Amino acid sequence: MFDSLKKELSRRALLHRVGFGFMAVGVTGTVGNIIKPAHTLAQAGPAPSNEPSLPPEKKLGWAVVGLGKFATQQIMPSFAECKRSKLVALVSGDRAKAERYAQQYGVNPKNIYNYQSYDSIRNNPEVDVIYIILPNGMHAEYSIRGAQAGKHIMCEKPMANTVEECQAMIDAAKKANRKLMIAYRAQYEPYNLATIKLAQSGKLGKLKLITSDHGRTLNPKDPADIWRMQKKLAGGGSLYDIGIYSLQATRYITGEEPVAISAMMYSTSGDPRFREVEENVNFVLRFPSGVLANCTSSYGYSDTKRIQVFGSDAVLELDPATDYYKHRLMIKDKNGNQEQKIQEKNQFALEIDHLSESIIQNKQPKTSGEEGLQDVKLMQLIYEAARTGKTIKV
Ligand code: NDP
């Protein structure tokens, strides 16, 4: 017991001495026959990873809206790892479920709301931030009502169904003088941050091509997938749900915006899952520097979350790239293959604390409403390119 404590303390002392917010550990694994020293990767996002936790009374109070799969399995447990944020309120259409979770997370039952009483959250000074984790088609309404109630807003991806809704959300937050952030967790996740740094620092040579593939099987028996088959609630099909990760990756890895888009779309004919939303979308993006991106998005095959970045000197592969945990980063160059090991962090806690920190410091969050709007604009153009068969200039 004492020995393991000593080991843990000396590990922490080492991490502290090296002094990285998002510590990049050495290359411990070898792949192929190459053993190389560690790259010092991973850059601190703006989340205060190394700083001490605020005392509970100083943490910002968060309300979670929609107690579904993602909220209950990933987001609510992550508050335990937050240093700037605490869960203080729940909004749900199911009172009994909300009471169960309130008890589990120590939320005062007086801070449980439903969709009718939601607006009265304005009278609750314990709530600083509202996190919208509802079906996509409800994001705009609940973000706008939340901002009008005087609260800061975190909204899940995709930001909303339409460009107009996204703009209305931005306008509502501005009018209320509140922050609006879109929960693009990959932009707070250490492996993705390391990938950005490697790609943009020239370590791979001149960037030529990115491929980004995201797919999963849509399961009509899973309650969380039922609304995903309905256009009104989902906004779109696989592109809106997971293809957005393919699109996002090309933008944050290049740091550029695409200037041309072409696309193709296909849904298995007669498959009832795809009566209203699409199954597969493949799209190609061209960026101003000349980088091309080949992206795929599918509801038809098994779990895929892969990004590859091809430079003139090396190829980077992140697979899985956008999972919750257990990412794997490989670099292939003239010396062979090497795996880069980076300390995993709870990306949900990092993104939640990022918004709290942005509020405390009165700064624009990194993944603002404008970032969400840009993806929705581009996804609409991807659909248009697929429908018309034309390459669209952005
Ligand atoms: P779920 O269906 O599991 O949860 C949605 C919740 O919204 C429901 O449980 C329900 O909560 C509430 N709700 C209110 N009205 C409706 C309605 N008409 N139909 C269905 N649900 C309703 O979905 P997910 O948790 O998978 O997704 C929610 C959001 O989170 C989506 O925007 C999705 O894109 C995003 N997401 C993001 C992920 C990420 O990695 N960033 C991963 C997964 C999802 P209640 O019963 O409490 O009212």
Side-chain angles (χ1 to χ4, degrees), residues 66-71 91-94 97 115 133-136 138-139 156-158 183 185 223-224 227-228 233 241 245 324:
L67 308 184
K69 199 168 173 179
F70 185 59
V91 182
S92 173
D94 181 338
K97 175 170 66 171
Y115 301 113
I133 320 185
L134 293 164
N136 310 338
M138 300 172 75
H139 289 180
E156 260 310 323
K157 48 54 64 179
R185 59 183 171 77
W227 63 262
R228 284 177 165 89
L233 284 174
D241 192 30
Y245 289 101
Y324 299 153

Side-chain angles (χ1 to χ4, degrees), residues 189-202:
E189 190 285 314
Y191 274 84
N192 281 269
L193 293 173
T195 297
I196 296 169
K197 197 168 180 192
L198 278 166
Q200 295 186 3
S201 65

Side-chain angles (χ1 to χ4, degrees), residues 38-108:
H39 283 225
T40 327
L41 293 180
Q43 194 28 261
S49 169
N50 244 4
E51 289 171 29
S53 193
L54 288 176
E57 69 280 6
K58 291 232 164 111
K59 287 181 173 177
L60 297 197
W62 284 60
V64 164
V65 186
L67 308 184
K69 199 168 173 179
F70 185 59
T72 58
Q73 293 181 10
Q74 306 302 332
I75 296 303
M76 285 154 61
S78 295
F79 278 96
E81 291 187 55
C82 287
K83 296 178 173 180
R84 300 281 181 271
S85 323
K86 61 186 175 190
L87 181 63
V88 298
L90 302 173
V91 182
S92 173
D94 181 338
R95 177 80 201 185
K97 175 170 66 171
E99 278 177 2
R100 276 199 314 278
Y101 282 115
Q103 193 177 28
Q104 182 179 339
Y105 288 100
V107 169
N108 189 332

Side-chain angles (χ1 to χ4, degrees), residues 4 13 40 45 50 68 86 95 190 227 243 316 325 338 355 383:
S4 64
T40 327
N50 244 4
K86 61 186 175 190
R95 177 80 201 185
W227 63 262
L316 177 156
Y325 302 98
Q338 53 172 314
L355 179 53
Y383 285 136

Side-chain angles (χ1 to χ4, degrees), residues 136 161 216 218-219 225-241 265-281 297-300 383:
N136 310 338
N161 285 7
R216 72 179 185 87
L218 193 68
N219 177 4
D225 277 356
I226 289 171
W227 63 262
R228 284 177 165 89
M229 295 185 286
Q230 301 164 21
K231 178 106 197 281
K232 193 162 175 266
L233 284 174
S238 72
L239 180 62
Y240 261 52
D241 192 30
M265 208 155 52
Y266 179 75
S267 301
T268 307
S269 89
D271 188 326
R273 293 174 300 170
F274 308 120
R275 272 196 208 113
E276 296 187 26
V277 299
E278 84 284 349
E279 179 183 10
N280 306 294
V281 187
S297 164
S298 178
Y299 268 158
Y383 285 136

Side-chain angles (χ1 to χ4, degrees), residues 17-34:
R17 263 206 311 279
V18 180
F20 288 105
F22 292 75
M23 174 66 185
V25 294
V27 176
T28 51
T30 59
V31 179
N33 50 8
I34 301 295

Side-chain angles (χ1 to χ4, degrees), residues 125-235:
E126 286 177 59
V127 177
D128 301 291
V129 190
I130 292 175
Y131 191 166
I132 311 295
I133 320 185
L134 293 164
N136 310 338
M138 300 172 75
H139 289 180
E141 178 189 342
Y142 284 85
S143 296
I144 291 169
R145 281 168 66 183
Q148 287 170 346
K151 308 300 180 185
H152 302 280
I153 304 294
M154 173 85 96
C155 179
E156 260 310 323
K157 48 54 64 179
M159 181 171 175
N161 285 7
T162 66
V163 166
E164 292 72 24
E165 284 179 339
C166 294
Q167 192 57 56
M169 291 162 72
I170 292 170
D171 294 345
K174 275 204 183 117
K175 190 165 174 207
N177 195 23
R178 301 290 87 179
K179 309 280 181 214
L180 168 61
M181 174 169 154
I182 308 307
Y184 283 127
R185 59 183 171 77
Q187 293 206 42
Y188 302 88
E189 190 285 314
Y191 274 84
N192 281 269
L193 293 173
T195 297
I196 296 169
K197 197 168 180 192
L198 278 166
Q200 295 186 3
S201 65
K203 289 231 164 69
L204 308 175
K206 182 158 171 40
L207 295 193
K208 299 288 179 184
L209 171 71
I210 296 173
T211 67
S212 187
D213 304 295
H214 286 82
R216 72 179 185 87
T217 307
L218 193 68
N219 177 4
K221 294 198 178 124
D222 182 341
D225 277 356
I226 289 171
W227 63 262
R228 284 177 165 89
M229 295 185 286
Q230 301 164 21
K231 178 106 197 281
K232 193 162 175 266
L233 284 174

